[in-house]
Each structure stands twice: as C-alpha cells, then as structure tokens.
Amino acid sequence: MATKKAKPNPKAKLGAGGRFAAVEAAAKKSGAKNPAAVAAAMGRKKYGAKRMSKMAAKGRKGGK
C-alpha cells in the first residue's frame, strides 16, 4: 500500500503534511542523510512530542 506524500508547502494547514514535506525537502537539499528524521526532530522541538505524535497519527489516517 503506497501512501500519498504531501507536496512541500511551508504555509500548509498544520497537520496536513505540507510543512513537514517542505522541511524535509530543504534538509535533503542541504545534504542530510535522512531528511525525514531532520524534519521530525525539528517538529518535536517546536511542537513537542505529544503534539507531533497527534499530527503524525492524523497524517496516517488521511487527515480525519
């Protein structure tokens, strides 16, 4: 089952995945070995572990 990835958009609605994708794209451009890990770490620092896990769950459910 392939998941549809959000398009990079730094002004996307919070929890939609566009902001995460934008940070991930910027990290990849900078040469990060694991850009998704960089984006996740930045999100955890900004929003906290609890809120990041809620957003991740929302993303896995398809935004419901």
Side-chain angles (χ1 to χ4, degrees):
M1 181 171 120
T3 58
K4 189 174 179 184
K5 229 174 165 174
K7 292 182 182 175
N9 179 4
K11 295 187 179 189
K13 186 177 176 186
L14 190 61
R19 293 175 185 222
F20 187 92
V23 173
E24 191 176 4
K28 185 174 184 180
K29 189 176 179 182
S30 295
K33 289 183 180 181
N34 190 345
V38 173
M42 290 176 71
R44 270 190 239 98
K45 184 175 182 178
K46 183 172 183 177
Y47 298 110
K50 188 175 180 180
R51 190 160 177 204
M52 271 298 284
S53 65
K54 281 186 179 182
M55 288 189 281
K58 183 178 178 183
R60 283 193 300 274
K61 290 179 186 174
K64 293 181 182 175

